[in-house]
């Protein structure tokens, strides 16, 4: 696929926006006692659409940008996993605290489905946040380069 | 890999953006290649050589 900055920006921005909106909607539906089966299906469809749009955006990068993105995702994912470990250990060893926090945030008693969401959500969020930080650092480095 | 891209570009009086447009890559990618942070593939290396009208080995030099 030929390089196109405009198409890449539009598609990757769209994937991020749709992902964030979808995550907010999943949280809202979970808090409003949505049917777990439909919610699960919604999550799968949302993930497929976001990944599909993201990959389409990736295909409009040039080869140097692709190399940089691959490095960023590799190291960002590793750093994200390492960074989440203290939180995971904390949550595992403070279960009553976690139950109270879940009840406070979602206004309902903690359920296994909610913990399943947290188990999936925490690594993904940490990895994405870490990749975004690396991207920001790259941008800062580029702007200070000669 | 070392390269003479910055010097050659300056000789032609082109900006990074102008060279990037001729190569159909991002300006940031030209910057990354000039600074040795990224190595171009063989097809891109040959495109760069064609733009400057020079053989590939006159632009890129391996660090053995």
């Amino acid at each position: 696929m030929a390089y196109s900055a405009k198409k890449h920006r539009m598609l990757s921005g769209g994937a991020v926006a749709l992902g964030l909106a979808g995550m907010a909607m999943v949280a809202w539906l979970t808090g409003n006692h949505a049917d777990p089966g439909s919610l699960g299906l919604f999550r799968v469809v949302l993930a497929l659409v976001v990944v599909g749009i993201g990959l389409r955006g990736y295909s409009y990068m040039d080869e140097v940008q692709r190399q940089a993105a691959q490095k960023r995702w590799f190291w960002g994912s590793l750093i994200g996993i390492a960074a989440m470990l203290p939180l995971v250990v904390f949550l595992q060893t403070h279960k009553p605290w976690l139950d109270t926090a879940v009840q406070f945030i979602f206004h309902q008693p903690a359920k296994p489905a909610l913990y399943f969401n947290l188990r999936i959500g925490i690594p993904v969020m940490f990895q994405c946040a870490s990749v975004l930080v690396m991207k920001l650092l790259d941008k800062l480095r580029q702007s200070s380069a000669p | 890999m070392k390269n003479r891209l910055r010097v050659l570009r300056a000789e032609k009086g082109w900006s990074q953006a102008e060279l990037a447009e001729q190569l159909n890559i991002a300006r940031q990618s030209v910057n990354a290649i000039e600074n040795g942070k990224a190595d171009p593939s063989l097809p891109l290396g040959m495109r760069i050589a064609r733009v400057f009208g020079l053989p590939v080995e006159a632009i890129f030099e391996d660090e053995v």
Side-chain angles (χ1 to χ4, degrees), chain A residues 3 62-65 67 142 146, chain B residues 24-26 28-29 39 41:
Chain A
Y3 163 70
D62 68 42
E63 61 171 69
V64 177
Q65 288 178 317
Q67 276 176 30
Q142 274 168 14
Chain B
N24 194 30
I25 59 173
Q28 291 86 346
S29 302
D39 290 329
S41 66

Side-chain angles (χ1 to χ4, degrees), chain B residues 8-30:
Chain B
L8 294 168
R9 182 174 61 76
E11 280 172 8
K12 294 268 185 191
W14 294 335
S15 66
Q16 286 185 340
E18 284 166 335
L19 178 59
E21 203 181 321
Q22 291 189 64
L23 295 169
N24 194 30
I25 59 173
R27 187 201 60 78
Q28 291 86 346
S29 302
V30 171

Side-chain angles (χ1 to χ4, degrees), chain B residues 2-3 10-11 17 19 23 27 29 36 38 45-47 56-57 64:
Chain B
K2 282 186 196 164
N3 67 73
E11 280 172 8
L19 178 59
L23 295 169
R27 187 201 60 78
S29 302
M46 293 185 81
R47 246 159 54 213
V56 174
E57 60 270 25
V64 182

Side-chain angles (χ1 to χ4, degrees), chain A residues 28-109:
Chain A
W28 183 78
L29 287 171
T30 307
N32 284 282
H33 313 279
D35 167 42
S38 311
L39 198 55
L41 189 65
F42 174 73
R43 274 200 305 252
V44 170
V45 171
L46 178 73
L48 287 174
V49 171
V50 168
V51 169
I53 295 174
L55 285 175
R56 187 77 179 159
Y58 176 85
S59 72
Y60 284 110
M61 285 175 161
D62 68 42
E63 61 171 69
V64 177
Q65 288 178 317
R66 277 184 211 167
Q67 276 176 30
Q70 284 163 8
K71 274 187 203 163
R72 216 165 25 233
W73 275 102
F74 177 78
W75 289 110
S77 297
L78 280 183
I79 293 167
I81 288 169
M84 84 173 185
L85 288 177
L87 179 70
V88 171
V89 170
F90 176 81
L91 292 178
Q92 290 285 348
T93 52
H94 293 74
K95 191 88 183 353
W97 183 91
L98 180 61
D99 289 339
T100 315
V102 164
Q103 191 143 13
F104 177 75
I105 294 166
F106 294 102
H107 308 293
Q108 59 172 299

